[in-house]
Amino acid sequence: MSILVTGGAGYIGSHTVVELLNTNREVVIVDDFSNSKPEVLDAIKKITGKDFKFYNIDYSDKEKMDKVFKENKIDAVLNFAGYKAVGESVQKPIEYYTNNVAGTLNLLDVMRNNNVKKFVFSSSATVYGKPEVIPITEDCKTGGTTNPYGTSKLFIEQILKDLYKSDNSWEIVILRYFNPIGAHESGLIGEEPQGIPNNLMPYIVRVANGTLKELSVFGNDYNTHDGTGVRDYIHVVDLAKGHINALEKLEKEGQGLYIYNLGTGKGYSVLDIVKAFEESTGMKVPYKIAPRREGDIDICYSDPTKAKEELGWVAEKDLNQMCKDSWNYINKK
């Protein structure tokens, strides 16, 4: 039996493929390189010493995806094929809804037609909108999302809930990510944005190595300890391992729909991250204060207790390691 990983050459997808191969699972990757690079596939093989099947196709193409299911004995699907930049989603809502929502609907339809009903979905803390309490638990209300990226994740969560209600033979885990950063310790895979980075850490490392002039800190008048936005940053390898725990839960327990936060339970501001990066690498990160970015909120960090109790999962890597691994990756390139 194989695990199908859509978007498996992307940032989180590639790290999860490494963890899947490390646990001796067979893997089939689907990716069209719209937000990733082919070299990542070779890097995965180098890290793990293992091979996998690969299809260069758009995951929303029903006909081609049906062929993937017909040619492989797929046991479960992990979907990482969503577009993921908050700022970009405000500029390109149609593209985000088309790829994220319509693409997932097409994928679920192909799964249903091939009687594959184990599904792990990459959701996001953005589904909580402006959180009613901090830290955020899975019981907090969702909605009031502040950007199309978050809204696309919220729509898909609702689709999955409706799907499970209509047919409870489905086995679904929804993982609400907080802010993944860092890279694999080998330095062979990491976050590789196309063009100017939208996310904080890829921007910081490119300022530190001189590729970019300075970091723009969007807003210093938030209701936080230093005025900059506070987020829960999680090492991408810890995040990837959370998917293995989620799969194991479905393999053990079967039918059900489960929702978990994946975060560290700690909040760090943008300037906290800059300072931690400078201290852990010895590199300077010049920055300027820029206007707030549309769609951003003051504070967002998790209560990861449920994932610990039900999945046996805990984030293990600290902020220092996240910074060091991010810097190691950019220097190895």
Side-chain angles (χ1 to χ4, degrees):
M1 295 293 242
S2 297
I3 309 299
L4 175 64
V5 184
T6 60
Y11 177 43
I12 300 167
S14 62
H15 286 83
T16 304
V17 168
V18 166
E19 298 306 322
L20 287 165
L21 293 169
N22 284 343
T23 53
N24 296 317
R25 287 173 166 84
E26 286 183 24
V27 174
V28 177
I29 295 177
V30 162
D31 206 302
D32 64 356
F33 302 121
S34 59
N35 197 26
S36 59
K37 295 184 174 166
E39 305 89 83
V40 171
L41 303 178
D42 292 328
I44 293 170
K45 289 173 188 171
K46 196 169 175 186
I47 291 166
T48 63
K50 292 177 180 167
D51 206 354
F52 47 82
K53 280 182 96 168
F54 171 71
Y55 293 84
N56 184 351
I57 56 178
D58 179 346
Y59 90 120
S60 65
D61 186 322
K62 279 189 179 181
E63 205 172 298
K64 289 180 179 170
M65 287 299 290
D66 188 63
K67 192 164 175 279
V68 173
F69 279 83
K70 296 284 189 285
E71 289 178 2
N72 301 277
K73 204 163 170 40
I74 304 293
D75 181 47
V77 178
L78 276 61
N79 180 22
F80 299 98
Y83 293 162
K84 63 185 176 104
V86 168
E88 184 183 61
S89 76
V90 177
Q91 307 304 319
K92 298 181 173 178
I94 291 174
E95 287 82 351
Y96 269 67
Y97 289 125
T98 301
N99 181 75
N100 293 9
V101 182
T104 302
L105 278 169
N106 287 349
L107 174 62
L108 291 167
D109 195 27
V110 174
M111 286 177 66
R112 179 179 61 175
N113 293 340
N114 286 278
N115 200 34
V116 176
K117 293 183 175 178
K118 276 189 176 72
F119 188 65
V120 180
F121 176 60
S122 301
S123 192
S124 162
T126 52
V127 301
Y128 294 111
K130 198 167 169 141
E132 50 185 355
V133 295
I134 299 287
I136 300 166
T137 68
E138 291 82 355
D139 298 328
C140 289
K141 73 175 175 53
T142 56
T145 44
T146 57
N147 54 75
Y149 164 74
T151 307
S152 75
K153 296 295 188 183
L154 187 68
F155 287 166
I156 297 164
E157 284 199 10
Q158 188 58 54
I159 288 163
L160 292 171
K161 288 171 185 173
D162 291 341
L163 178 61
Y164 181 70
K165 200 180 285 181
S166 73
D167 174 5
N168 65 10
S169 67
W170 279 82
E171 304 168 31
I172 298 167
V173 176
I174 293 169
L175 298 175
R176 291 175 179 158
Y177 303 170
F178 281 71
N179 291 58
I181 59 175
H184 192 268
E185 62 185 4
S186 65
L188 293 172
I189 55 173
E191 191 164 8
E192 193 57 54
Q194 313 280 42
I196 300 293
N198 281 288
N199 294 334
L200 179 60
M201 189 56 84
Y203 211 109
I204 285 176
V205 295
R206 283 160 182 78
V207 170
N209 79 350
T211 306
L212 297 169
K213 183 181 163 220
E214 62 186 357
L215 173 70
S216 292
V217 176
F218 297 108
N220 66 343
D221 58 349
Y222 287 104
N223 185 22
T224 64
H225 65 275
D226 62 14
T228 64
V230 167
R231 299 290 181 271
D232 185 338
Y233 294 92
I234 174 174
H235 197 295
V236 66
V237 172
D238 281 334
L239 185 67
K241 287 177 177 174
H243 295 77
I244 309 302
N245 294 56
L247 260 185
E248 285 169 352
K249 183 174 180 74
L250 294 183
E251 287 162 0
K252 278 200 297 253
E253 297 189 25
Q255 298 164 342
L257 185 146
Y258 311 94
I259 300 174
Y260 300 102
N261 288 335
L262 293 187
T264 64
K266 298 184 184 83
Y268 296 101
S269 74
V270 175
L271 293 182
D272 287 338
I273 298 290
V274 171
K275 187 175 172 219
F277 182 85
E278 290 182 337
E279 285 176 356
S280 61
T281 65
M283 303 302 296
K284 290 303 288 177
V285 181
Y287 66 86
K288 65 175 183 187
I289 304 300
R292 285 189 181 201
R293 203 167 44 172
E294 201 178 337
D296 278 346
I297 58 175
D298 300 58
I299 300 178
C300 179
Y301 64 90
S302 70
D303 179 343
T305 305
K306 188 180 175 194
K308 181 181 179 181
E309 290 175 349
E310 295 188 17
L311 294 180
W313 174 87
V314 178
E316 293 172 347
K317 296 176 185 286
D318 63 11
L319 187 54
N320 180 44
Q321 194 66 51
M322 298 179 212
C323 293
K324 280 184 172 170
D325 288 343
S326 298
W327 183 234
N328 180 42
Y329 171 67
I330 203 87
N331 282 331
K332 279 270 181 96
K333 285 168 60 185

